[in-house]
Amino acid sequence: MSELKNAVVRSPCLAESDEIGVKDLPEGLQEKPSGPDPMESAIEAMEQQAIYRALMQAGASQDRAAQSLGISKGALMRKLKSYRAAFDGVA
């Protein structure tokens, strides 16, 4: 919040015209390009690894893997299906 306050105070001094635009704000407050969120991607990768490990430890039993992950078998199957679709799109 203090970063935003400082930007609002400084922007009129740094602006090249009478109007303050996005380009007049510090980089951290400028609009980010659209695309995948790096944090979301990292969480998804960790989830995939956890599912893979659970399946390996359960001898590929989806019931036991889901139980060890604390999710239902249906939830596990949906996640596997979505990951499969994502991998198919890459190949």
Side-chain angles (χ1 to χ4, degrees):
M1 189 66 157
S2 63
E3 182 181 5
L4 179 59
K5 181 179 176 182
N6 289 336
V8 169
V9 171
R10 288 184 19 201
S11 293
C13 300
L14 300 175
E16 295 176 7
S17 69
D18 290 341
E19 291 184 17
I20 299 170
V22 174
K23 65 180 177 31
D24 299 314
L25 297 173
E27 276 189 43
L29 295 177
Q30 292 180 8
E31 189 174 327
K32 302 282 187 224
S34 63
D37 179 10
M39 182 63 78
E40 190 174 312
S41 298
I43 291 170
E44 188 173 293
M46 289 189 305
E47 183 180 65
Q48 288 177 4
Q49 290 174 353
I51 289 171
Y52 175 77
R53 271 190 243 118
L55 284 166
M56 294 300 292
Q57 291 173 349
S61 167
Q62 291 180 354
D63 288 321
R64 290 193 319 224
Q67 186 177 14
S68 72
L69 291 166
I71 60 176
S72 68
K73 182 179 177 184
L76 176 62
M77 292 177 71
R78 282 190 299 277
K79 289 180 183 297
L80 289 171
K81 183 178 179 180
S82 73
Y83 295 146
R84 214 172 284 129
F87 287 128
D88 289 344
V90 173

